Amino acid sequence: MELWFLGTSAGMPIRDRNVTSIALTQNDGTFWMFDCGEGSQHRLLQTPLKLTKLTKIWITHLHGDHVFGLPGLLSSRSSLGGTEALQLYGPPGLRELLETSLRISETHLNYPIHITEIEAEGAIFEDANVKVEAAKLDHRIESYGYRIEERERPGVLNAGWLAEQGLPPGPVYGQLKAGQDVTLADGRVIRSVDAVGESLPGRIVTILGDTRPCANAVKLGRGANVLVHEATFAHALADKAHEYGHSTALQAAQIAHEAGARRLLMTHFSSRYTREALAELETEARQVFADADAAIELTPYPIPL
């Protein structure tokens, strides 16, 4: 899994920063997007990610700097030969936004889109590998954060010990890895619990939309390997941040600290801050949370097990 920031600017793009969008690669070679500000598909062209491999889009809220890139991106995915269904999640109003823009522009897609408007907080998607939870944040309009939690993974197979037991590599290794005991030809039973180490915890990635500091930000970020939190302003402008429904870098760090996250990646920076000025936001955040960074666009951030 890797995070790619396709845009880290708040409100409008500037010369070296686009508006908000984040890509999260999946273990099967596909990827998800979180928000899709204007120009997001242009940023994708500067990454190794292929639009036809996009399977899900998660929208945090419907402010323009988070959604104005959607119609064009959906159209390009079709033009590039995408045929697999695309699932979109977001606040109420997402369906009207998309269906209206596609209808008026007479945009015809070669694949189905399935839109899920969030009706209640909690788990909104689950499969065999991952669970995604959503919760409301504190912004001027309805805004959500998402917690992506991997399932536990089987432990490491002790191949050396199995070889000592006279069991060569083969299909039985897969059975043991899957939790099944194996009976050998001589009647001995090799137990999975003896052959496989302890289960490995899954990774947790929390991506928050625009928000003031709030309890749900801490809840969604609890124990996260990576917490993505907006840091629109330096703390000297805390009053302005609160007025517009945003957070400061220091407040983002306080949320990460309270949540017990391992790493904080800050994004959604006001256009007043140049690339050089982002170092000041990092310094501010690190007063409270040492592993805090201002996200750099088009740079992969691996999420190790």
Side-chain angles (χ1 to χ4, degrees):
M1 296 176 76
E2 290 180 336
L3 282 169
W4 288 81
F5 288 80
L6 307 176
T8 60
S9 189
M12 63 181 183
I14 60 175
R15 184 180 299 274
D16 58 356
R17 291 204 308 270
N18 195 40
V19 285
T20 300
S21 183
I22 302 170
L24 175 65
T25 62
Q26 302 295 303
N27 297 323
D28 61 1
T30 63
F31 73 98
W32 298 353
M33 283 181 66
F34 293 81
D35 289 334
C36 187
E38 180 185 3
S40 294
Q41 65 172 313
H42 293 271
R43 284 300 209 227
L44 271 176
L45 295 174
Q46 300 174 60
T47 75
L49 306 177
K50 304 301 181 184
L51 196 49
T52 52
K53 295 293 186 180
L54 173 65
T55 59
K56 289 180 173 56
I57 301 177
W58 310 80
I59 299 299
T60 62
H61 65 294
L62 298 181
H63 275 154
D65 57 324
H66 294 254
V67 298
F68 281 168
L70 272 173
L73 181 137
L74 297 182
S75 177
S76 292
R77 185 177 185 267
S78 185
S79 298
L80 290 169
T83 57
E84 297 295 322
L86 182 64
Q87 180 74 54
L88 296 101
Y89 300 83
L94 178 61
R95 181 183 303 278
E96 181 182 4
L97 171 71
L98 284 177
E99 291 182 349
T100 301
S101 61
L102 295 176
R103 175 178 54 82
I104 291 176
S105 64
E106 296 189 8
T107 299
H108 304 287
L109 305 179
N110 295 327
Y111 57 88
I113 59 173
H114 304 296
I115 301 170
T116 299
E117 294 187 336
I118 301 171
E119 297 179 349
E121 297 180 333
I124 58 172
F125 173 77
E126 293 188 60
D127 64 13
N129 301 313
V130 70
K131 177 176 73 172
V132 181
E133 297 181 15
K136 285 184 180 180
L137 303 174
D138 182 9
H139 191 44
R140 291 180 294 160
I141 65 173
E142 194 166 329
S143 181
Y144 285 89
Y146 297 105
R147 176 185 175 92
I148 305 95
E149 189 167 350
E150 282 187 316
R151 309 289 188 189
E152 282 191 344
R153 296 168 176 266
V156 177
L157 195 68
N158 190 338
W161 180 80
L162 289 173
E164 292 174 1
Q165 307 308 307
L167 190 61
V172 292
Y173 276 32
Q175 296 172 24
L176 291 166
K177 186 84 170 176
Q180 303 172 24
D181 296 340
V182 172
T183 302
L184 304 183
D186 60 9
R188 286 182 299 146
V189 176
I190 304 295
R191 299 191 308 161
S192 173
V193 68
D194 296 327
V196 182
E198 293 185 6
S199 297
L200 304 174
R203 291 163 288 191
I204 300 172
V205 180
T206 299
I207 298 176
L208 305 181
D210 292 4
T211 186
R212 301 180 181 97
C214 64
N216 272 347
V218 176
K219 178 182 176 181
L220 290 172
R222 188 75 65 192
N225 295 69
V226 177
L227 169 63
V228 177
H229 197 298
E230 68 131 288
T232 308
F233 298 108
H235 203 66
L237 295 175
D239 289 344
K240 186 178 186 68
H242 182 81
E243 178 184 358
Y244 288 96
H246 291 297
S247 298
T248 67
L250 181 64
Q251 290 168 337
Q254 290 168 337
I255 294 294
H257 175 75
E258 189 174 348
R262 297 184 185 180
R263 187 177 191 185
L264 170 65
L265 292 176
M266 298 179 292
T267 186
H268 201 266
F269 309 114
S270 167
S271 58
R272 72 181 60 211
Y273 300 112
T274 63
R275 178 177 293 181
E276 293 73 21
L278 295 184
E280 300 173 15
L281 298 186
E282 290 179 328
T283 299
E284 181 176 283
R286 290 170 184 167
Q287 296 174 25
V288 173
F289 190 82
D291 200 354
D293 293 288
I296 301 173
E297 294 185 17
L298 306 179
T299 297
Y301 289 90
I303 307 169
L305 287 169

